[in-house]
Amino acid sequence: MELISNEEKVTRALLVSVDTGDFDAEASLDELFELVRSAGAEPVFAITQKLQKPESATFVGTGKLEEIKRACEDNELDLIVADSELTPTQIKNIENFTGVRVIDRTTLILDIFALRARSKEGKLQVELAQLKYTLPRLTGKGIEMSRLGGGIGTRGPGETKIETDRRHIRRRMETLREELADVEKHRQMLRKRREKDGVITCAIVGYTNAGKSTLMNYLTNAGVLAQDKLFATLDPTSRALKLPSGVSVMLIDTVGLVRRLPHHLVEAFRSTLEEAAQSDIIINLCDASSDEARVHLEVTNDLLQSLGCGDTPVITVLNKCDLIDGGTPAQDFDSYIKISAKTGEGVDRLLEAIDNNLPVRMKRVKLLVPFSNAGVISEIREKCTLISEDYVAEGVEVEAVVDEIIYAKVRAFEVDG
């Protein structure tokens, strides 16, 4: 799907929502506005209808459908975006009635993901999610899928084309799964290597547009794309971060979340999310200036629980506090760390919190290493954190942060502070 034409005319979109009371329709619609902007289109306005459940044939009622058609004609709109997942029948009926192209929330998010994916893994994951979404929707398209134009009931050529497309999609999905399995094996090898080398990992997770990439750039000069758009960053980025204690950790930036994230994408990006889940420390970053801050925290916490992160230390951080009047979020957020990744305010408290949550396998020591054993100092420098070294008559005085493996080798040289 391409939201912007080659002539670079900006697509003007009408947003449509059915409020069934199953979720906060107003907040979801606000988010849809941002999603449409992130896709490069212009959301002109929205039409909402309250129903017990969406109409099976047209999503909205007939009267509301007339209103949508008039709105599209009067405002020269090019696109209708539904804030729910539509069936192929609903899409076809709305398009036939209004003469305007129709997509749903899931298609929109998939399109943004396809636009943002840069790494091989990210592109594979997005394509797999798109195919998973497309496969069951081939049914019922009939003559639209026919090479020759099927007869009554669009049997024959139409049905054959559908079956051909299904087989092609299934084959492609299998190929994608195999390629992703290879990528995952490589990821697991890197993870095991980090564990063997005693590398501590710290993942930044949170709602999309919470400022994860901005924080990553501030802490590590990572050069990650940081824009005021949803899903500006899709591919995980890892950079080394040296803490005030002298310990170095691997900081990982992850894909952002949204409410009602399509399950196709949750499944496709599960390996990437598990990279965060298997970290030693998790930073749950939230946009404190958003009215939905509490909901955003809950969305992230629910995902972390589903990934089995119950025993992993989670540091909750409220970002963008510089955008709040007085710089202080709601009183019931007192226990959380408040920062501005843009200005750096409060980041020192975040680094201190990371230090305080380091796994116990790291230990800060003072050593007097005999010259005959000086080779171990090179090992400390290579694999751990060497804070200082000073040559004295008895050997080399060393201060370092070491893991359990190195500590077992140097324990005999430990001296009191």
Side-chain angles (χ1 to χ4, degrees), residues 72-315:
C72 290
E73 292 171 347
D74 294 345
N75 296 276
E76 299 182 349
L77 303 182
D78 316 293
L79 183 68
I80 296 171
V81 185
D83 194 24
S84 294
E85 196 166 290
L86 299 180
T87 66
T89 299
Q90 288 171 331
I91 292 174
K92 181 179 178 181
N93 289 339
I94 298 172
E95 286 183 341
N96 288 344
F97 189 83
T98 62
V100 176
R101 187 160 57 97
V102 177
I103 64 171
D104 59 15
R105 182 187 179 91
T106 300
T107 302
L108 178 65
I109 293 176
L110 285 168
D111 181 76
I112 296 171
F113 270 53
L115 185 68
R116 301 280 191 268
R118 293 290 179 268
S119 70
K120 177 184 177 182
E121 182 181 16
K123 291 176 180 178
L124 290 173
Q125 288 170 327
V126 170
E127 185 180 353
L128 181 59
Q130 288 176 322
L131 292 177
K132 281 183 177 179
Y133 184 67
T134 301
L135 184 60
R137 292 167 176 268
L138 294 180
T139 304
K141 290 194 175 180
I143 197 167
E144 298 171 14
M145 301 299 294
S146 173
R147 292 189 182 95
L148 304 175
I152 297 174
T154 66
R155 296 180 184 275
E159 190 66 25
T160 302
K161 178 63 167 61
I162 291 175
E163 290 304 320
T164 301
D165 287 340
R166 281 177 182 157
R167 283 195 297 272
H168 173 73
I169 288 175
R170 289 192 183 105
R171 282 197 300 269
R172 180 59 183 159
M173 287 172 66
E174 189 59 36
T175 301
L176 290 171
R177 289 191 183 101
E178 290 173 359
E179 292 186 44
L180 281 169
D182 290 339
V183 174
E184 177 60 18
K185 284 180 184 176
H186 180 65
R187 184 192 296 279
Q188 289 176 355
M189 288 173 59
L190 292 177
R191 189 182 297 136
K192 288 178 180 178
R193 176 63 186 270
R194 288 200 301 258
E195 291 173 355
K196 182 180 178 181
D197 293 345
V199 176
I200 299 171
T201 53
C202 181
I204 309 174
V205 302
Y207 220 73
T208 184
N209 208 30
K212 296 186 296 300
S213 296
T214 303
L215 178 60
M216 184 86 166
N217 289 337
Y218 184 88
L219 293 175
T220 68
N221 296 317
V224 179
L225 174 67
Q227 296 181 334
D228 187 20
K229 291 183 178 180
L230 304 190
F231 302 120
T233 305
L234 266 192
D235 301 313
T237 304
S238 301
R239 292 290 186 274
L241 169 65
K242 193 165 187 176
L243 298 172
S245 66
V247 176
S248 291
V249 300
M250 186 68 71
L251 199 63
I252 302 172
D253 185 18
T254 62
V255 62
L257 307 173
V258 293
R259 59 164 59 79
R260 299 166 61 218
L261 187 65
H263 69 275
H264 313 279
L265 286 174
V266 174
E267 291 173 6
F269 281 83
R270 192 170 186 86
S271 61
T272 307
L273 295 170
E274 284 175 349
E275 180 81 359
Q278 297 184 19
S279 297
D280 298 292
I281 301 170
I282 295 173
I283 298 173
N284 182 358
L285 194 69
C286 176
D287 178 0
S289 67
S290 170
D291 294 336
E292 297 291 308
R294 185 170 303 285
V295 175
H296 295 177
L297 287 173
E298 289 174 359
V299 168
T300 308
N301 285 328
D302 288 346
L303 178 68
L304 293 175
Q305 288 296 323
S306 70
L307 292 172
C309 303
D311 297 328
T312 305
V314 177
I315 303 170

Side-chain angles (χ1 to χ4, degrees), residues 293-294 297 316 318 328-336 338:
R294 185 170 303 285
L297 287 173
T316 302
L318 301 180
T328 305
Q331 293 297 314
D332 49 357
F333 285 158
D334 282 347
S335 61
Y336 302 147
K338 291 95 175 170

Side-chain angles (χ1 to χ4, degrees), residues 45 47 71 136 155 173-174 210-211 284 356 372 382 399 406 411:
F45 60 92
I47 291 178
R155 296 180 184 275
M173 287 172 66
E174 189 59 36
N284 182 358
N356 293 337
S372 58
E382 179 185 349
E399 186 172 358
I406 298 297
R411 187 173 182 177

